Structures are given as structure tokens and as C-alpha cells.
Amino acid sequence: MKLIAMHVRAYKTDSMGRSRQLPARQGSGIISRLPFVAGILFGLAGCTALGQTPGLNWNTRLSGDPALTGDQRVSLLVHNNFLSTGAFFRTVGPALGAHIRDRPAEWEGSAEGFGRRLGTQFSIQTSRGLINSGAAALLGRDPRYQRCGCEGGWRRVGHALSGLVLSADRQGERRFDPSNLAASFGGGYVGASLYPSRYTVSVKGYQLGTQLTGQVMAQNLFLEFGPEIRRVFRKVLRR
């Protein structure tokens, strides 16, 4: 009976009522658990550094800020990728959306299926954060967004979008920085390797990487216009 049940679960009925065989699942075993273990280890390792960086601005670099120290870089890595509200929504949001849409179908709509989607998103975001932080450190760049400090809405929009490939160096000057692109597509290909076998890693990785670059640009826009957005919300709430 157990063999029959396993055989039945390998099939799913499509919208036309026809049964189709689902490809075998990938990403099982100890390899799929490595991102979770890495997350726990980095979280524990960063607790001390977090306590040594009082007053550090997590998301934006202010004009005139000194270059980041090693401890501050570790604090940013841990906070922005594991402890912040943004990290939570970047991981849970896409996982929940994929679960509601039953994507990929091989992972089903059960609690286990949601766990696989959540784990995949965690792997994507963790890999992206590690690559971005590591590349920025090697190049001497600040991974935080630096607001325009200029006038004009379109000029500020352009500044925010250019933040995908420009960031502050140790002297505070904006320089070319490929860290975001490398991190977005690196995280995308890591996530694609955990998808079922019917997905081509090269194609799915590119798609996920493109989505992650979109997330970076959207985040930059939010950080650039954050003060105005908060003022609008305050006025609405006071009514």
C-alpha cells in the first residue's frame, strides 16, 4: 500500500482533468539544509558585532560618514539579512506568493511545500546578502544606499535607480560597483539549483536574478523617498 501511495503522489491532475507525472524533486538531503545552517552560524557570529556598533545606520549612508570598519560590515550583514523587517518580508513574501499560486507544482500546497518554498527563498536571500557584502568589502564600497541630497523628483529617481551599479567608496564618492548585480544573479542561480529538475538552472537563475535586481531598485526608490512617504502616512493617520 505504501508503494501505491507513493506512486499516486507522483501524479497530479491538470486543468483538463488529465493526469501528468510530476518530475522528481531536487534539493533534498543535507545540501538543501546548508543555507539554514549557514544562517544560524552567521546569526550567532554576528551577535557580538551588533553589540559593538551603536548608532550605526543600517540602510542608508549619510553624507560625511566615515568608511565602514570590519565589525560594522559584519553587523550590517547580519542585521540586514537575518534580523531586519526587510529580510523577513523579502523571504516570506515571495514564498507565500509562490505557495498561493502553487509554483512550482511539484512542491504541492501542503505545509511541507510551503517549507520548501520558504527554504528556497531563504537560500536566495542569504546567498545574495553574502555575495553583496563580500564583494563590497573587497572593492572598498559601502553596501548601504546613499540618498541624492538634490532637488527634483526625476533627478532623485535617476539617482536611486543608478544605485544598482553605483555606491560610495571609502571617501564617500560614488563609484562603479558590480556588487548588487553579482549578488542578485548569484543568489538567483543558487535558488535555481534548488528548483525541481524540469527547470533549467541557467534560465531560472537568470529569471530570479532579474527579479532580485528589480527588488534592489525598488528598495532604493523607497529609501530615497522614505522621508516623504513617512510624512504622508503621518498626515493620513492624524485625520
Side-chain angles (χ1 to χ4, degrees):
M1 291 298 292
K2 183 176 181 181
L3 180 62
I4 295 174
M6 291 174 62
H7 180 73
V8 170
R9 282 197 299 269
Y11 288 83
K12 185 169 183 175
T13 303
D14 62 18
S15 59
M16 302 297 293
R18 296 172 297 188
S19 294
R20 58 186 177 89
Q21 188 171 8
L22 298 176
R25 295 177 177 178
Q26 287 185 340
S28 59
I30 190 170
I31 294 179
S32 64
R33 295 182 176 88
L34 287 178
F36 297 97
V37 176
I40 294 172
L41 292 178
F42 274 100
L44 292 174
C47 288
T48 302
L50 282 173
Q52 297 175 350
T53 53
L56 180 64
N57 196 330
W58 300 117
N59 296 309
T60 56
R61 181 189 184 278
L62 303 179
S63 179
D65 279 355
L68 292 170
T69 66
D71 285 343
Q72 288 174 330
R73 288 186 182 278
V74 173
S75 296
L76 286 173
L77 167 65
V78 175
H79 180 272
N80 291 343
N81 290 284
F82 303 108
L83 305 179
S84 67
T85 304
F88 174 82
F89 283 109
R90 285 194 301 268
T91 301
V92 177
L96 185 60
H99 190 68
I100 293 173
R101 291 180 288 116
D102 195 25
R103 304 271 181 86
E106 290 86 343
W107 292 347
E108 304 176 352
S110 61
E112 178 186 356
F114 178 71
R116 295 178 73 87
R117 294 179 179 98
L118 186 64
T120 300
Q121 286 299 324
F122 181 81
S123 301
I124 292 172
Q125 297 297 338
T126 299
S127 301
R128 178 190 170 279
L130 292 174
I131 295 171
N132 186 42
S133 298
L138 288 174
L139 296 172
R141 301 292 190 263
D142 194 320
R144 298 171 297 175
Y145 176 72
Q146 182 170 327
R147 294 194 182 100
C148 183
C150 56
E151 299 293 334
W154 287 115
R155 188 176 179 184
R156 293 175 65 190
V157 168
H159 178 89
L161 296 181
S162 67
L164 177 67
V165 293
L166 296 175
S167 66
D169 62 12
R170 291 186 177 90
Q171 288 73 42
E173 299 293 330
R174 294 188 94 205
R175 307 286 186 187
F176 174 69
D177 182 6
S179 301
N180 277 321
L181 288 176
S184 294
F185 285 97
Y189 282 104
V190 168
S193 68
L194 300 177
Y195 270 67
S197 58
R198 67 182 173 90
Y199 290 90
T200 304
V201 173
S202 59
V203 175
K204 189 62 180 177
Y206 177 80
Q207 293 173 344
L208 292 173
T210 303
Q211 293 172 13
L212 290 172
T213 57
Q215 285 183 17
V216 173
M217 290 188 287
Q219 177 178 290
N220 287 350
L221 286 169
F222 179 80
L223 292 173
E224 176 65 36
F225 293 95
E228 289 86 349
I229 294 173
R230 284 191 289 271
R231 282 197 293 267
V232 171
F233 272 106
R234 291 193 190 102
K235 289 181 180 179
V236 172
L237 293 174
R238 287 171 184 170
R239 292 179 181 177

